[in-house]
PDB file of all heavy atoms in Angstrom:
ATOM      1  N   TYR A 572      92.538  97.868  96.552  1.00  0.00           N
ATOM      2  CA  TYR A 572      91.338  97.514  95.805  1.00  0.00           C
ATOM      3  C   TYR A 572      90.099  97.677  96.673  1.00  0.00           C
ATOM      4  O   TYR A 572      88.957  97.527  96.193  1.00  0.00           O
ATOM      5  CB  TYR A 572      91.442  96.076  95.272  1.00  0.00           C
ATOM      6  CG  TYR A 572      91.807  95.065  96.327  1.00  0.00           C
ATOM      7  CD1 TYR A 572      90.830  94.459  97.105  1.00  0.00           C
ATOM      8  CD2 TYR A 572      93.139  94.715  96.553  1.00  0.00           C
ATOM      9  CE1 TYR A 572      91.160  93.535  98.082  1.00  0.00           C
ATOM     10  CE2 TYR A 572      93.483  93.806  97.534  1.00  0.00           C
ATOM     11  CZ  TYR A 572      92.485  93.218  98.300  1.00  0.00           C
ATOM     12  OH  TYR A 572      92.815  92.315  99.283  1.00  0.00           O
ATOM     13  N   GLU A 573      90.290  97.961  97.935  1.00  0.00           N
ATOM     14  CA  GLU A 573      89.212  98.320  98.857  1.00  0.00           C
ATOM     15  C   GLU A 573      89.769  99.375  99.821  1.00  0.00           C
ATOM     16  O   GLU A 573      90.991  99.533  99.932  1.00  0.00           O
ATOM     17  CB  GLU A 573      88.690  97.104  99.619  1.00  0.00           C
ATOM     18  CG  GLU A 573      89.720  96.384 100.456  1.00  0.00           C
ATOM     19  CD  GLU A 573      89.144  95.144 101.132  1.00  0.00           C
ATOM     20  OE1 GLU A 573      88.474  94.339 100.446  1.00  0.00           O
ATOM     21  OE2 GLU A 573      89.374  94.992 102.347  1.00  0.00           O
ATOM     22  N   PRO A 574      88.927 100.128 100.487  1.00  0.00           N
ATOM     23  CA  PRO A 574      89.414 101.200 101.365  1.00  0.00           C
ATOM     24  C   PRO A 574      90.320 100.669 102.472  1.00  0.00           C
ATOM     25  O   PRO A 574      90.097  99.588 103.015  1.00  0.00           O
ATOM     26  CB  PRO A 574      88.119 101.794 101.947  1.00  0.00           C
ATOM     27  CG  PRO A 574      87.071 101.445 100.948  1.00  0.00           C
ATOM     28  CD  PRO A 574      87.454 100.101 100.399  1.00  0.00           C
ATOM     29  N   ARG A 575      91.357 101.460 102.787  1.00  0.00           N
ATOM     30  CA  ARG A 575      92.295 101.090 103.841  1.00  0.00           C
ATOM     31  C   ARG A 575      92.434 102.262 104.815  1.00  0.00           C
ATOM     32  O   ARG A 575      92.130 103.411 104.476  1.00  0.00           O
ATOM     33  CB  ARG A 575      93.674 100.760 103.257  1.00  0.00           C
ATOM     34  CG  ARG A 575      93.670  99.625 102.250  1.00  0.00           C
ATOM     35  CD  ARG A 575      93.279  98.295 102.871  1.00  0.00           C
ATOM     36  NE  ARG A 575      93.419  97.199 101.903  1.00  0.00           N
ATOM     37  CZ  ARG A 575      93.020  95.952 102.154  1.00  0.00           C
ATOM     38  NH1 ARG A 575      92.462  95.647 103.336  1.00  0.00           N
ATOM     39  NH2 ARG A 575      93.174  95.012 101.238  1.00  0.00           N
ATOM     40  N   SER A 576      92.930 101.970 105.989  1.00  0.00           N
ATOM     41  CA  SER A 576      93.115 102.989 107.014  1.00  0.00           C
ATOM     42  C   SER A 576      94.478 103.662 106.928  1.00  0.00           C
ATOM     43  O   SER A 576      94.819 104.492 107.764  1.00  0.00           O
ATOM     44  CB  SER A 576      92.954 102.369 108.412  1.00  0.00           C
ATOM     45  OG  SER A 576      93.936 101.352 108.606  1.00  0.00           O
ATOM     46  N   PHE A 577      95.262 103.303 105.922  1.00  0.00           N
ATOM     47  CA  PHE A 577      96.599 103.856 105.707  1.00  0.00           C
ATOM     48  C   PHE A 577      96.708 104.308 104.263  1.00  0.00           C
ATOM     49  O   PHE A 577      95.843 104.006 103.435  1.00  0.00           O
ATOM     50  CB  PHE A 577      97.677 102.819 106.045  1.00  0.00           C
ATOM     51  CG  PHE A 577      97.455 101.480 105.406  1.00  0.00           C
ATOM     52  CD1 PHE A 577      97.914 101.197 104.125  1.00  0.00           C
ATOM     53  CD2 PHE A 577      96.757 100.480 106.084  1.00  0.00           C
ATOM     54  CE1 PHE A 577      97.705  99.967 103.531  1.00  0.00           C
ATOM     55  CE2 PHE A 577      96.543  99.236 105.500  1.00  0.00           C
ATOM     56  CZ  PHE A 577      97.018  98.983 104.223  1.00  0.00           C
ATOM     57  N   THR A 578      97.761 105.027 103.965  1.00  0.00           N
ATOM     58  CA  THR A 578      97.913 105.613 102.637  1.00  0.00           C
ATOM     59  C   THR A 578      98.892 104.825 101.765  1.00  0.00           C
ATOM     60  O   THR A 578      99.666 104.008 102.259  1.00  0.00           O
ATOM     61  CB  THR A 578      98.434 107.055 102.746  1.00  0.00           C
ATOM     62  OG1 THR A 578      99.776 107.025 103.276  1.00  0.00           O
ATOM     63  CG2 THR A 578      97.539 107.899 103.658  1.00  0.00           C
ATOM     64  N   HIS A 579      98.865 105.139 100.477  1.00  0.00           N
ATOM     65  CA  HIS A 579      99.837 104.565  99.553  1.00  0.00           C
ATOM     66  C   HIS A 579     101.259 104.884 100.012  1.00  0.00           C
ATOM     67  O   HIS A 579     102.139 104.022  99.986  1.00  0.00           O
ATOM     68  CB  HIS A 579      99.642 105.126  98.138  1.00  0.00           C
ATOM     69  CG  HIS A 579      98.438 104.621  97.421  1.00  0.00           C
ATOM     70  ND1 HIS A 579      97.150 104.960  97.797  1.00  0.00           N
ATOM     71  CD2 HIS A 579      98.313 103.785  96.345  1.00  0.00           C
ATOM     72  CE1 HIS A 579      96.287 104.388  96.971  1.00  0.00           C
ATOM     73  NE2 HIS A 579      96.965 103.661  96.087  1.00  0.00           N
ATOM     74  N   LYS A 580     101.487 106.129 100.428  1.00  0.00           N
ATOM     75  CA  LYS A 580     102.834 106.534 100.845  1.00  0.00           C
ATOM     76  C   LYS A 580     103.292 105.755 102.071  1.00  0.00           C
ATOM     77  O   LYS A 580     104.459 105.327 102.143  1.00  0.00           O
ATOM     78  CB  LYS A 580     102.876 108.022 101.144  1.00  0.00           C
ATOM     79  CG  LYS A 580     104.280 108.521 101.517  1.00  0.00           C
ATOM     80  CD  LYS A 580     104.313 109.997 101.808  1.00  0.00           C
ATOM     81  CE  LYS A 580     105.733 110.484 102.078  1.00  0.00           C
ATOM     82  NZ  LYS A 580     106.407 109.756 103.166  1.00  0.00           N
ATOM     83  N   GLU A 581     102.416 105.537 103.014  1.00  0.00           N
ATOM     84  CA  GLU A 581     102.791 104.781 104.211  1.00  0.00           C
ATOM     85  C   GLU A 581     103.179 103.355 103.851  1.00  0.00           C
ATOM     86  O   GLU A 581     104.147 102.808 104.394  1.00  0.00           O
ATOM     87  CB  GLU A 581     101.637 104.792 105.217  1.00  0.00           C
ATOM     88  CG  GLU A 581     101.434 106.134 105.895  1.00  0.00           C
ATOM     89  CD  GLU A 581     100.167 106.202 106.713  1.00  0.00           C
ATOM     90  OE1 GLU A 581      99.170 105.538 106.343  1.00  0.00           O
ATOM     91  OE2 GLU A 581     100.163 106.927 107.724  1.00  0.00           O
ATOM     92  N   PHE A 582     102.442 102.769 102.930  1.00  0.00           N
ATOM     93  CA  PHE A 582     102.758 101.401 102.530  1.00  0.00           C
ATOM     94  C   PHE A 582     104.063 101.365 101.741  1.00  0.00           C
ATOM     95  O   PHE A 582     104.915 100.491 101.964  1.00  0.00           O
ATOM     96  CB  PHE A 582     101.615 100.804 101.710  1.00  0.00           C
ATOM     97  CG  PHE A 582     101.671  99.310 101.610  1.00  0.00           C
ATOM     98  CD1 PHE A 582     100.976  98.518 102.508  1.00  0.00           C
ATOM     99  CD2 PHE A 582     102.430  98.678 100.630  1.00  0.00           C
ATOM    100  CE1 PHE A 582     101.037  97.125 102.442  1.00  0.00           C
ATOM    101  CE2 PHE A 582     102.494  97.292 100.555  1.00  0.00           C
ATOM    102  CZ  PHE A 582     101.795  96.517 101.461  1.00  0.00           C
ATOM    103  N   LEU A 583     104.251 102.308 100.837  1.00  0.00           N
ATOM    104  CA  LEU A 583     105.480 102.335 100.040  1.00  0.00           C
ATOM    105  C   LEU A 583     106.691 102.602 100.933  1.00  0.00           C
ATOM    106  O   LEU A 583     107.756 101.995 100.737  1.00  0.00           O
ATOM    107  CB  LEU A 583     105.377 103.398  98.948  1.00  0.00           C
ATOM    108  CG  LEU A 583     106.449 103.374  97.852  1.00  0.00           C
ATOM    109  CD1 LEU A 583     106.466 102.037  97.117  1.00  0.00           C
ATOM    110  CD2 LEU A 583     106.230 104.508  96.865  1.00  0.00           C
ATOM    111  N   ASP A 584     106.537 103.467 101.916  1.00  0.00           N
ATOM    112  CA  ASP A 584     107.633 103.712 102.856  1.00  0.00           C
ATOM    113  C   ASP A 584     108.000 102.443 103.619  1.00  0.00           C
ATOM    114  O   ASP A 584     109.178 102.203 103.919  1.00  0.00           O
ATOM    115  CB  ASP A 584     107.257 104.816 103.840  1.00  0.00           C
ATOM    116  CG  ASP A 584     107.303 106.201 103.217  1.00  0.00           C
ATOM    117  OD1 ASP A 584     107.879 106.345 102.110  1.00  0.00           O
ATOM    118  OD2 ASP A 584     106.754 107.141 103.828  1.00  0.00           O
ATOM    119  N   ALA A 585     106.996 101.625 103.932  1.00  0.00           N
ATOM    120  CA  ALA A 585     107.260 100.355 104.619  1.00  0.00           C
ATOM    121  C   ALA A 585     108.024  99.401 103.701  1.00  0.00           C
ATOM    122  O   ALA A 585     108.890  98.644 104.168  1.00  0.00           O
ATOM    123  CB  ALA A 585     105.954  99.725 105.080  1.00  0.00           C
ATOM    124  N   ILE A 586     107.729  99.427 102.405  1.00  0.00           N
ATOM    125  CA  ILE A 586     108.497  98.636 101.445  1.00  0.00           C
ATOM    126  C   ILE A 586     109.952  99.109 101.434  1.00  0.00           C
ATOM    127  O   ILE A 586     110.890  98.307 101.526  1.00  0.00           O
ATOM    128  CB  ILE A 586     107.889  98.733 100.036  1.00  0.00           C
ATOM    129  CG1 ILE A 586     106.518  98.050  99.987  1.00  0.00           C
ATOM    130  CG2 ILE A 586     108.828  98.122  98.990  1.00  0.00           C
ATOM    131  CD1 ILE A 586     105.812  98.181  98.652  1.00  0.00           C
TER     132      ILE A 586
END
Side-chain angles (χ1 to χ4, degrees):
Y572 51 87
E573 59 183 48
R575 301 295 186 187
S576 61
F577 50 87
T578 66
H579 287 69
K580 183 180 184 304
E581 288 171 328
F582 197 94
L583 192 59
D584 285 346
I586 293 176

